Amino acid sequence: MALNTSAEAPLPVGEVSRLIGGWIDRLGSVWVEGQITQLSRRPGAGVVFLTLRDPSYDISVGVTCYRKVFDAVADVVSEGARVVVLAKPEWYAPRGQLSLRAAEIRPVGIGELLARLEQLKRSLGAEGLFAADRKRPLPFLPHRVGLVCGRASAAERDVLENARRRWPQVRFEVRNVAVQGVHAVSQVVGAVKELDAHPEVDVIIVARGGGSVEDLLPFSDEQLVRAVAECTTPVVSAIGHEPDAPLLDLVADVRASTPTDAAKKTVPDVGEELRRVDQLRERALRSVRGLLEREERGLAHALARPCMEHPQRMVEQREEEVRAVRARGRRVLGHLLDRAESELAHTRARVVSLSPAATMERGYAVLQRGDGAVVRSPHGAPAGERLRARVAEGEFAVRVED
């Protein structure tokens, strides 16, 4: 409940601590799940002290319990184990410290862990975090490879040695983190985010050697899965061996069965690439040679044609054809001219035979009056009129008598 305080009427620290303790004492017992990070069992002491941590959010709380409560699970519980605790919150007023008083401790079994992982897998899958269309292809030759792994681990050595053996000039940006235990999730998430923000890193490899289900639990943590899903840089998961399948494998863009396989999938083999270049060069050379040979055969075939061997023969043949056509044209034109001349002569003969001049050649004459009019009847020439008589060889004057 709210307190009426002011700068003039403050509460003493002891009173505030007492009030907080009163509020916490009213809280009931709760079941709490976490990972044991510190365990203190002093000989002869009746109380066991331990720290319970949430690896996903890096939050810890102290837990105390009577020795008999812890002895019930002492054989199966140690530092790093996941447990479920029935505890009641307590407030230690002299130090102002919150802790949990455990009344029962239960270890989380493998079956229960796997069941929770399966439930988390279904939940994240329903959100589409494992969809195939979200997967991004890896670059052919990354400018710089980010590597998240344990310090001086076999996974780091396998990735670096195999990658440099395949491509000696490859460069790495390595982040050494805890790959198991209570700090693994937060450190791996931080390293992944840091490398994703690195401007020169083109691909990120998260690598770890094999281990038990408990050892690989950090790589199935929801916080890590969501961090990888938000990355803009392609991520390669190389956790454990082939049978191991943490949730990181499902959300990563590429899954590698081992750290060595991750190096092979991330960096091309310079020897294979050189052989591929040689094969492409040979294939291109064969193609060019084949093309040249086909063109040479086509050119030889074209040159072997008669028109190419004796090009003047075509001109000679065309010259003879032109001569024949010209001679035929001349003959046809001559025939046409002869026929036209004959027809013209016949027409001229008919015209001449029917002309007035031919009539006058036979002794006829044409009489005309002075005005040139032709006399056609005796009545048209009165007595005493002078007329002109036209004959074949000229004309002369005549007078009409009674």
Side-chain angles (χ1 to χ4, degrees):
M1 58 184 178
L3 299 176
N4 294 323
T5 61
S6 65
E8 291 76 18
L11 289 178
V13 174
E15 181 65 16
V16 173
S17 180
R18 185 188 66 79
L19 291 174
I20 294 175
W23 296 332
I24 291 177
D25 286 340
R26 288 195 291 271
L27 297 177
S29 299
V30 292
W31 286 99
V32 183
E33 180 186 356
Q35 188 176 21
I36 298 177
T37 58
Q38 295 180 356
L39 179 60
S40 177
R41 299 173 62 189
R42 299 175 182 176
V47 179
V48 177
F49 297 90
L50 54 93
T51 301
L52 201 62
R53 184 176 182 275
D54 186 341
S56 298
Y57 298 97
D58 197 15
I59 297 176
S60 301
V61 64
V63 179
T64 60
C65 64
Y66 293 111
R67 178 174 290 275
K68 64 178 180 179
V69 174
F70 186 81
D71 288 345
V73 293
D75 296 337
V76 293
V77 170
S78 60
E79 286 190 6
R82 285 179 176 264
V83 294
V84 177
V85 177
L86 176 62
K88 185 179 185 306
E90 288 186 346
W91 181 258
Y92 186 60
R95 293 184 181 177
Q97 184 176 358
L98 176 68
S99 63
L100 299 176
R101 171 72 67 172
E104 182 180 354
I105 301 176
R106 297 181 184 179
V108 178
I110 298 298
E112 187 175 357
L113 287 176
L114 294 178
R116 293 181 183 178
L117 289 180
E118 185 64 27
Q119 182 180 4
L120 179 60
K121 176 182 176 181
R122 289 195 299 268
S123 175
L124 297 178
E127 295 182 26
L129 268 62
F130 306 148
D133 55 1
R134 297 185 70 258
K135 309 296 183 183
R136 290 156 296 192
L138 300 183
F140 168 71
L141 183 59
H143 183 74
R144 189 183 294 268
V145 179
L147 176 59
V148 180
C149 59
R151 185 180 302 277
S153 61
E156 179 181 7
R157 183 177 62 255
D158 290 345
V159 173
L160 295 180
E161 290 182 358
N162 284 279
R164 286 169 179 159
R165 189 180 299 119
R166 291 171 63 84
W167 197 277
Q169 302 301 322
V170 64
R171 294 185 296 172
F172 277 90
E173 193 75 22
V174 181
R175 296 292 183 271
N176 294 124
V177 298
V179 292
Q180 71 180 61
V182 294
H183 302 288
V185 174
S186 59
Q187 292 186 14
V188 173
V189 170
V192 168
K193 291 182 177 180
E194 181 181 351
L195 292 175
D196 184 45
H198 198 293
E200 295 184 357
V201 172
D202 295 329
V203 61
I204 300 173
I205 300 176
V206 182
R208 186 202 189 283
S212 63
V213 176
E214 295 89 339
D215 295 338
L216 301 182
L217 279 178
F219 300 96
S220 293
D221 188 87
E222 180 179 0
Q223 184 181 359
L224 176 59
V225 172
R226 293 190 180 278
V228 172
E230 295 173 358
C231 285
T232 58
T233 306
V235 178
V236 178
S237 173
I239 305 302
H241 302 294
E242 182 65 32
D244 301 322
L247 297 185
L248 180 62
D249 288 349
L250 301 178
V251 73
D253 298 288
V254 175
R255 177 189 182 273
S257 57
T258 61
T260 300
D261 184 46
K264 293 180 179 179
K265 290 183 176 180
T266 304
V267 180
D269 189 340
V270 63
E272 293 180 359
E273 296 305 320
L274 290 176
R275 287 191 295 272
R276 185 175 293 111
V277 170
D278 291 338
Q279 293 173 357
L280 293 174
R281 184 184 291 115
E282 289 295 330
R283 188 168 66 182
L285 185 58
R286 288 195 301 269
S287 299
V288 172
R289 285 176 177 173
L291 177 61
L292 291 177
E293 290 174 358
R294 288 195 300 272
E295 295 300 325
E296 287 178 354
R297 288 194 298 269
L299 182 58
H301 178 72
L303 292 176
R305 297 179 63 182
C307 62
M308 297 299 293
E309 289 185 346
H310 304 286
Q312 69 277 7
R313 181 176 301 174
M314 181 182 297
V315 177
E316 294 172 355
Q317 292 176 351
R318 293 292 183 265
E319 182 181 7
E320 294 177 358
E321 293 178 1
V322 170
R323 288 176 180 176
V325 172
R326 185 174 60 182
R328 187 173 60 184
R330 287 179 176 178
R331 289 195 301 271
V332 171
L333 182 59
H335 293 325
L336 293 176
L337 292 176
D338 292 342
R339 183 183 303 172
E341 184 179 4
S342 176
E343 292 179 355
L344 181 60
H346 288 299
T347 302
R348 182 174 179 277
R350 287 198 302 272
V351 171
V352 170
S353 64
L354 296 176
S355 66
T359 302
M360 287 187 292
E361 286 285 344
R362 293 195 296 269
Y364 291 94
V366 178
L367 297 177
Q368 294 177 316
R369 290 196 296 268
D371 57 1
V374 177
V375 178
R376 300 181 182 279
S377 67
H379 301 290
E385 186 178 359
R386 293 182 63 85
L387 301 177
R388 294 174 58 197
R390 293 185 59 186
V391 295
E393 295 181 1
E395 62 180 23
F396 54 89
V398 296
R399 182 185 297 273
V400 179
E401 294 181 354
D402 292 336

